[in-house]
Amino acid sequence: MSQPIPVQITVGNAQDLKTLKSSLLLTVVRVEYNGAGLGESSKTNVLPDGTAEYDFSTSFEYSPDGPNSLDVLVQKPLLLTLLEVAAKEKKKTEKVTPLAQAVVDLLPLLQGVRSLKVLAPLYAVPAFPSAMPHPEATAGLEVIVSTKELLLSATQFSSGNLLSITLEAAYSVPEAFTPDAQQNYMACLQIPAAGEKELPLLFKNGILKADGEKEPFPRPKNWPLGPLLAPDALNIPNSFIVGGPYEDEDGELTKSEDRAFRIQAESSRRVVWDTEIRCFLDAAAVATLQSRIAECRHWPVELCRMSMSSGGKGKASKLDKRDEDKQIAFHGVAYVNMLHLLCPGVKQIRGAFRVFNYQDSEVFEKTRVQYSIFRDRRSQLSLGKERLGTSPGSKAAPNKTQKEEKDSNATVVEDYHKRVTSVAVAILREYHELFGKQLPDQGMMDHKTMEEQKRQLNYELNTSGKYFAFKEQLKYSVVKIVREKYLKTTAFETKEKLQEFLSELYVYLVDHMHMALNKLLSGEDVSPAPPPYTTRKQLLLFAREAEANKDLNLASLFYKQRIARDQRSIQSWLAYGAFCLLHEDATKAQECFQQAVCLDPQHIQSLLLCGIVAVKLQHYEEAEIFFEDACCLEPSSIIAWTLAGLFYELQNNYIQAERSFREAKKLLRAELEEERRLLEAAEGEEKKPSSPSTDPEKIPDSSADKPPEAVEGVTSNEEATAVQEVPEAAEPQPPPCTIFMKTVEFLMKFNAVRFVHKALAHELLSLQGGPTCAYYLALAWTYLLREDFPRCGQCLCEAARIDPLNPNVWAQKGHLFYLQKDFDKAKDCYERVISFVEDAADMHFVYLRLGSIYLDEKEYGRAKHIYLLACDNSASCLTWLGVGIACYRLEEMLEAEDALSEANALNNTNAEVWGYLALICLQGGRQLEAEQCYKYTVKLGLQNDALLQEIRAAQHRFGFGDPSL
């Protein structure tokens, strides 16, 4: 026997504990592993900032032959429970209440890591059984797990393999299956384990679900544990079930005639586990597994419904075989074809398999297995309930109510309350803007005034479209209540039943609306109002404005100021990196993207951008690592797989490119299928035939499916081909949903122009009906960036021909004419954009440039209106400056000064703002203030000569001395 190896556990500090409970003062952390308590920390005060220092250490022993063996370490996480310690008011005795739980995956200790440091999220324990935990809690617990020596040597690790098995659900289950607490729905299979043993993998505690919606994708996988006090702690970090189209599965029922049955079955009565069990296979176990698969290819997975009423350990030992058989109310078996795992490069299989009645002769014929695990080897199974995470005052297993804590009724009602509160605050803000705030000493308002204000407010909300927007905010939460509380997803048989349901729903919604409003008005349980635009968001807007005005030094300054505000903001680093990438500073862009990866090594966007900039710097081996990491960390990312395919194609690795593109298309099919299902469920309509551009069954093949010569021919001449050889489009069409256009959206956001061209070249090859409007818009964007105005104009003409009502097309055309200084045509385009019901993707620059054209043409009333729209859309120094100039020209001096003051508050380094303030002060006879404003104008280097001359002329006209520094 080998010597046990101590596994040391240290609990450091906790963060953001106040998000769990604002009044939290004294806490204790309990550590448990494999059903055994390892100790508790001392009582620790929670500081006002929500942190607590525990500095508690404990340990357990790892031994291949002990209770904490290799198989246990692979399967079970470390469990930490945060307990609140409080004193009762009368007896003054301490009351200990579980508050939250965290889990730590110990798998890295078997992968060559001796010290593991994590900030484990703390998942809140519901205050009472029917409640749901705090959805916005951000608390975490710092935990360090270490060993003095490796648990597995490098040779053992490299020669073995990690096997993980996920059981999702059993469908079309018998009607006799009931949600009885005494019935346990289980599945089990047995595999070769380390040390030439047989290891049973048991999936317990399946949840019987009634008819309703199918399970969503993606969804988290669960640990193979019993119910925990914090239901969300059962989720395995960064491990999800992503699904996929039926035809791409490795199991049975994959034919087209099976599709209708599977869709129906997956939303009917079913038993759900969503559990992953892992085990480590040593070299001998791997060889045994391979030989068994090669011998008979099928592996038996037993399914049973077992009564736990007579499951006491002592009593079970006295039962004869017939009594044991009586406990198994249902006994089935599925035959999983494992042969694909022996194919080179195949690391997983996934599929649905039929369940047959368990018959010894049939099982032996197909699998060469001569025994039933549930019937003949039950002593090897741990059928008792897990005791992890029980409350400190009782060691009883969680009751049925706790098992049902995942019921989402509490969550949907809470979401409705939040939406009602949000709308109420927004309407109150509109009221204050119209009529000001009513102070307490102003007395009661008379009824006539109140009714008049109500009428004006209703008029303002309806004419501005805000009433409709508020309704849309509430719509989704009401739909969720209908679906998840009333479990209503189908049409009503009669109008009378519909009306009856609507009446009941109306009463329910109004009651809960009053509850939410009462909480708001009484000030109880109300979160603080969201702050206005954050400084970083303002700075990003300023940077984009400066970039559009070709003031790159100022833009760079704003990007750097964003980073200075919060150096741990990943998005700030990515935005500055994208700016550097566009303006040919790839080395600086690389530094920014790598800094983002340092902040979060698992941030997919950062990894992909590191790969893109590595390609630009011709660091191809480094780029491959980044793209592969992104695909491994988020295998459900369509963009990651597509970019990996484009990269492999650059390397002439067409096999890998084809594999990556195929994986991306699989994911897209699954995503479109899920979106279509959700849409149909939400709208309550029957399925409609999809257009060819969005039907998941008809997604165009990528160019990776074509010969390499064809791909090379396009990519080498992609720009010329993109504009020429374009077939006529018969009519406007919706934007297609392809892997390449989804990737183009990401690439455009971060200015990766080279990869945009490659993706568009594939898009051109993959579409059967010719290029789309979205294709031409993206291509026009690339030409506009490098000021290739003729080619940009060609693309936009094609886009307008395909979709003449697309506001983004006319916005781009307006920008093109504006940069060419053809302001009449630019104005026509911009006016067309704002006449559409739907806004363009970025209205900010449409408003800014149209407002500047109106100012130049002395249409000051129109300019004021447009700039006010810009302020309402996304206020900045430039939008308020435009309002101020327009009001000044209209001789509305008070409004002009107010607007310029707003501009100055957002950015006090704009020389034009100070210049117009100087003019206003001169008009009002405020010489001292005018001189101060003028000093700032000169100091900040005003470049507007006409404005300088106007200030000097105003000084002479009003008879003041020459203002000077």
Side-chain angles (χ1 to χ4, degrees), residues 328 344 409 540 555 584 717 719 769 783 831 843 865 867 891:
I328 301 178
N409 288 356
L540 178 61
E584 301 302 325
N717 201 16
E719 296 175 9
Y783 291 136
E831 287 177 340
M843 292 296 293
H865 173 69
Y867 277 121
E891 298 185 355

Side-chain angles (χ1 to χ4, degrees), residues 359 421 427 607 618 663 703 765 805:
Q359 296 181 1
T421 302
I427 294 175
L607 290 169
Q618 299 183 6
E663 186 65 29
S703 57
L765 283 176
L805 299 180

Side-chain angles (χ1 to χ4, degrees), residues 274-290:
D274 286 348
T275 299
E276 180 185 80
I277 296 181
R278 306 180 301 209
C279 61
F280 183 81
L281 307 180
D282 63 9
V286 170
T288 302
L289 180 64
Q290 290 174 336

Side-chain angles (χ1 to χ4, degrees), residues 224-518:
L225 305 176
L228 299 182
L229 296 180
D232 289 341
L234 274 173
N235 297 344
I236 302 176
N238 303 316
S239 187
F240 297 92
I241 296 170
V242 297
Y246 301 139
E247 60 270 23
D248 291 332
E249 292 179 355
D250 303 293
E252 304 163 2
L253 302 171
T254 59
K255 298 178 182 179
S256 57
E257 56 265 29
D258 300 321
R259 183 179 181 84
F261 165 74
R262 292 194 60 178
I263 291 174
Q264 184 272 335
E266 290 177 7
S267 59
S268 302
R269 284 170 53 85
R270 60 206 182 276
V271 178
V272 177
W273 287 272
D274 286 348
T275 299
E276 180 185 80
I277 296 181
R278 306 180 301 209
C279 61
F280 183 81
L281 307 180
D282 63 9
V286 170
T288 302
L289 180 64
Q290 290 174 336
S291 64
R292 289 192 185 177
I293 293 175
E295 180 184 357
C296 58
R297 82 176 53 186
H298 289 109
W299 210 269
V301 178
E302 293 185 49
L303 175 70
C304 86
R305 175 170 67 103
M306 187 174 291
S307 173
M308 305 303 291
S309 58
S310 59
K313 186 175 180 181
K315 188 173 182 179
S317 64
K318 300 179 181 179
L319 295 175
D320 61 20
K321 187 174 185 296
R322 288 181 303 168
D323 292 329
E324 289 188 349
D325 284 341
K326 288 179 180 178
Q327 285 185 274
I328 301 178
F330 172 87
H331 194 186
V333 62
Y335 303 100
V336 178
N337 187 348
M338 305 270 277
L339 189 63
H340 296 290
L341 287 179
L342 300 184
C343 299
V346 176
K347 295 183 178 180
Q348 74 166 17
I349 58 173
R350 178 184 182 272
F353 299 88
R354 293 182 178 88
V355 177
F356 300 91
N357 187 40
Y358 192 97
Q359 296 181 1
D360 292 338
S361 58
E362 183 177 321
V363 172
F364 178 76
E365 180 184 351
K366 287 194 173 185
T367 68
R368 294 298 184 265
V369 174
Q370 300 180 357
Y371 56 85
S372 162
I373 303 174
F374 284 124
R375 189 190 63 210
D376 305 320
R377 299 198 174 183
R378 190 182 306 178
S379 60
Q380 298 181 11
L381 303 177
S382 174
L383 298 182
K385 297 183 179 180
E386 298 281 350
R387 294 187 181 272
L388 284 175
T390 54
S391 65
S394 171
K395 293 296 181 181
N399 57 31
K400 177 184 174 183
T401 310
Q402 288 173 318
K403 286 184 180 180
E404 297 172 352
E405 283 174 357
K406 288 189 177 181
D407 177 40
S408 57
N409 288 356
T411 303
V412 296
V413 174
E414 181 182 344
D415 179 63
Y416 176 68
H417 282 213
K418 288 181 180 178
R419 299 282 182 178
V420 168
T421 302
S422 174
V423 170
V425 170
I427 294 175
L428 191 60
R429 190 182 303 119
E430 293 292 326
Y431 176 86
H432 288 158
E433 289 181 4
L434 284 173
F435 310 111
K437 291 188 177 182
Q438 183 77 8
L439 299 178
D441 57 359
Q442 292 178 332
M444 290 291 293
M445 185 184 300
D446 64 89
H447 179 73
K448 184 176 181 182
T449 304
M450 190 181 299
E451 286 298 315
E452 177 61 22
Q453 289 186 353
K454 179 181 176 182
R455 187 191 65 79
Q456 292 184 39
L457 178 62
N458 285 335
Y459 176 80
E460 173 64 24
L461 294 178
N462 279 283
T463 56
S464 65
K466 292 175 182 176
Y467 174 75
F468 177 78
F470 292 153
K471 281 206 309 182
E472 288 298 306
Q473 287 185 38
L474 291 171
K475 178 179 178 181
Y476 185 59
S477 60
V478 172
V479 169
K480 288 201 296 184
I481 286 177
V482 172
R483 288 169 52 194
E484 299 185 28
K485 176 175 175 57
Y486 288 94
L487 301 177
K488 190 64 184 173
T489 58
T490 57
F492 290 89
E493 293 83 359
T494 63
K495 290 184 178 180
E496 290 75 16
K497 289 187 177 181
L498 171 62
Q499 193 58 47
E500 180 182 348
F501 171 75
L502 291 177
S503 300
E504 180 184 352
L505 177 64
Y506 176 78
V507 172
Y508 180 85
L509 293 176
V510 169
D511 286 344
H512 279 274
M513 178 190 72
H514 288 156
M515 293 180 194
L517 293 178
N518 288 338

Side-chain angles (χ1 to χ4, degrees), residues 109 136 175 290 325 729 767:
L109 296 179
E136 300 172 0
E175 290 293 328
Q290 290 174 336
D325 284 341
L767 293 176

